[in-house]
Amino acid sequence: MTKITIIGSEKSGKTTLAGKLGKKSNVTDITMYDYAKNDRILTTIDATGYPASVKALVTALNLSDIALLCIPPTGLDPLSAECIIALDLMNYKHGIVVLTKSDTSYAIAHEELQAKLKKITAGTALENWDYISVSTTSFEGMEELKELIFTVGNRVAEELKELDSLRPRIYIDQSFNVTGIGCVVLGVTTQGTINAKDKMIAYPTKKELEIRSIQMHDVDVKSAPAGSRVGLALKGIQSKDIDRGFVVSQEEAVATDFIMKCTLSPLAKEFNLGDMLHLYVGLQSAPVKVVEITEGENKVEKASPGKEYTLKLSGSKEVAYSKEDRFIFANLDEKQRFIAYGYEQ
């Protein structure tokens, strides 16, 4: 199973490309497309709620293992640049830069654009990503793109095997009631292996539950390893008690206030003591107020781009997380909204 997210600006051709890679299924602020042939299964996610909502972008990326960044012949614009910053802050390991609408440009122009993008992304998480030119009109490069996606997917699959022995965690992105079955959720097993009849807990509400049954692509299975997109029938909990962003696990930390060791992007704008930021972890988001900024041993009034700080943050919404989780921070009042990443201290 390979899970990809297609991102880029509104004029990048990303949505048309997503439609060529699978059959449209679930539609919310993210749109999913499914493809299955022989032993190849592909889930494609288009963050259709972006750019209006950065949460849609973060959600789509956290539900996937591979990102496709779509860049049209006109090159970078502020939104595609924001996508690059988000991917870098998330330290997104696997991805492909897709030069779209190749039928409207010349080969030499694509080579020049690729060279420019490689220079811009040097030193970022995108530095070693593959590049490919495609057209959804002439279908140039489309078969090559599919092969490249599955090649990268095979590398991802090998890495995910190393996570099978960890404690299981599931990110929930949908919840609903099915007559005769009860609460059903859709999500991704981010680590560990889950089994039917496992007893677990839904965080942050800490409601106990049992996994009644598991489906993968509408097929009943007894267990699901790390990286699986799953549908779970749950016992002991109602659909109204679990929502997108919840983490089904056996142990999570839950908090509203945080002390974070944060690194600001060199391309972010400074922020000040008392400012409101948004934090994102997994599929969750929450507004938080900056109540203290420490640089080294000194308390300061503002945080500047490219530097490391310890932030004391105060919020009102409970967030579930693990100590190893990477938090992403955004200032929704800025044009370039992603500003920092951090870990809870």
Side-chain angles (χ1 to χ4, degrees):
M1 178 187 299
T2 304
K3 306 185 300 299
I4 66 171
T5 284
I6 298 184
I7 64 173
S9 65
E10 293 171 294
K11 297 182 179 180
S12 65
K14 66 183 182 70
T15 298
T16 302
L17 178 58
K20 300 296 184 183
L21 292 174
K23 183 179 179 181
K24 184 185 287 188
S25 55
N26 297 317
V27 180
T28 55
D29 58 340
I30 60 175
T31 302
M32 294 194 175
Y33 299 81
D34 296 318
Y35 169 86
K37 186 175 182 180
N38 300 325
D39 60 342
R40 287 185 163 184
I41 298 173
L42 176 66
T43 296
T44 300
I45 304 175
D46 179 16
T48 43
Y50 178 81
S53 166
V54 299
K55 184 178 180 181
L57 182 69
V58 176
T59 295
L61 289 169
N62 275 315
L63 286 172
S64 304
D65 304 308
I66 305 168
L68 270 59
L69 174 63
C70 295
I71 306 292
T74 50
L76 285 177
D77 63 10
L79 289 175
S80 52
E82 183 176 66
C83 288
I84 290 173
I85 294 168
L87 290 164
D88 189 43
L89 290 174
M90 295 178 74
N91 194 29
Y92 214 88
K93 186 175 180 181
H94 296 287
I96 303 166
V97 178
V98 182
L99 305 181
T100 56
K101 306 180 184 180
S102 62
D103 59 305
T104 65
S105 185
Y106 298 101
I108 190 169
H110 275 253
E111 291 172 5
E112 291 173 351
L113 178 56
Q114 179 174 325
K116 183 178 180 180
L117 292 169
K118 281 183 173 289
K119 185 176 180 180
I120 290 171
T121 57
T124 73
L126 292 72
E127 184 172 27
N128 297 314
W129 284 19
D130 292 300
Y131 283 73
I132 190 169
S133 297
V134 304
S135 167
T136 55
T137 301
S138 68
F139 294 97
E140 174 194 347
M142 288 297 295
E143 289 304 315
E144 291 83 355
L145 174 60
K146 290 178 184 177
E147 290 303 318
L148 183 54
I149 288 170
F150 285 113
T151 296
V152 178
N154 289 336
R155 295 202 298 265
V156 171
E158 289 302 312
E159 295 176 4
L160 287 170
K161 288 179 182 178
E162 299 177 6
L163 305 179
D164 283 345
S165 61
L166 300 179
R167 65 181 180 85
R169 298 180 83 203
I170 308 152
Y171 286 169
I172 303 301
D173 69 87
Q174 292 186 56
S175 172
F176 45 91
N177 187 70
V178 176
T179 303
I181 297 177
C183 178
V184 173
V185 298
L186 304 180
V188 170
T189 304
T190 61
Q191 66 177 49
T193 299
I194 59 171
N195 303 284
K197 309 305 179 185
D198 278 352
K199 290 179 169 57
M200 303 184 78
I201 301 170
Y203 291 92
T205 55
K206 301 180 181 179
K207 286 186 174 290
E208 296 182 354
L209 59 88
E210 180 181 306
I211 298 176
R212 177 178 289 165
S213 62
I214 305 171
Q215 282 195 343
M216 295 172 58
H217 287 269
D218 299 322
V219 176
D220 289 325
V221 296
K222 293 183 178 180
S223 63
S228 301
R229 175 143 186 90
V230 294
L232 307 177
L234 303 180
K235 181 180 178 181
I237 194 169
Q238 299 182 49
S239 59
K240 66 181 180 64
D241 297 322
I242 187 168
D243 206 350
R244 178 195 280 182
F246 276 49
V247 182
V248 172
S249 173
Q250 291 165 337
E251 184 180 0
E252 299 287 319
V254 177
T256 57
D257 301 337
F258 304 89
I259 297 176
M260 289 276 170
K261 180 72 76 173
C262 290
T263 301
L264 272 66
S265 167
L267 301 176
K269 286 193 175 181
E270 66 181 32
F271 60 86
N272 301 305
L273 194 67
D275 282 356
M276 293 297 297
L277 304 178
H278 268 71
L279 67 78
Y280 301 86
V281 60
L283 310 188
Q284 302 166 91
S285 67
V288 288
K289 184 176 182 180
V290 182
V291 296
E292 187 176 283
I293 307 173
T294 303
E295 184 178 7
E297 300 296 325
N298 302 314
K299 290 182 174 58
V300 295
E301 294 294 314
K302 65 180 180 180
S304 300
K307 292 187 175 182
E308 186 178 274
Y309 298 91
T310 299
L311 304 181
K312 187 178 288 187
L313 305 166
S314 178
S316 58
K317 181 181 177 181
E318 287 191 330
V319 174
Y321 64 96
S322 168
K323 279 282 188 179
E324 297 77 29
D325 285 341
R326 188 180 182 107
F327 286 69
I328 304 300
F329 294 89
N331 186 340
L332 302 185
D333 294 328
E334 297 291 342
K335 288 185 178 180
Q336 194 298 102
R337 293 163 286 186
F338 292 100
I339 58 173
Y341 73 89
Y343 294 91
E344 201 266 344
Q345 297 297 291

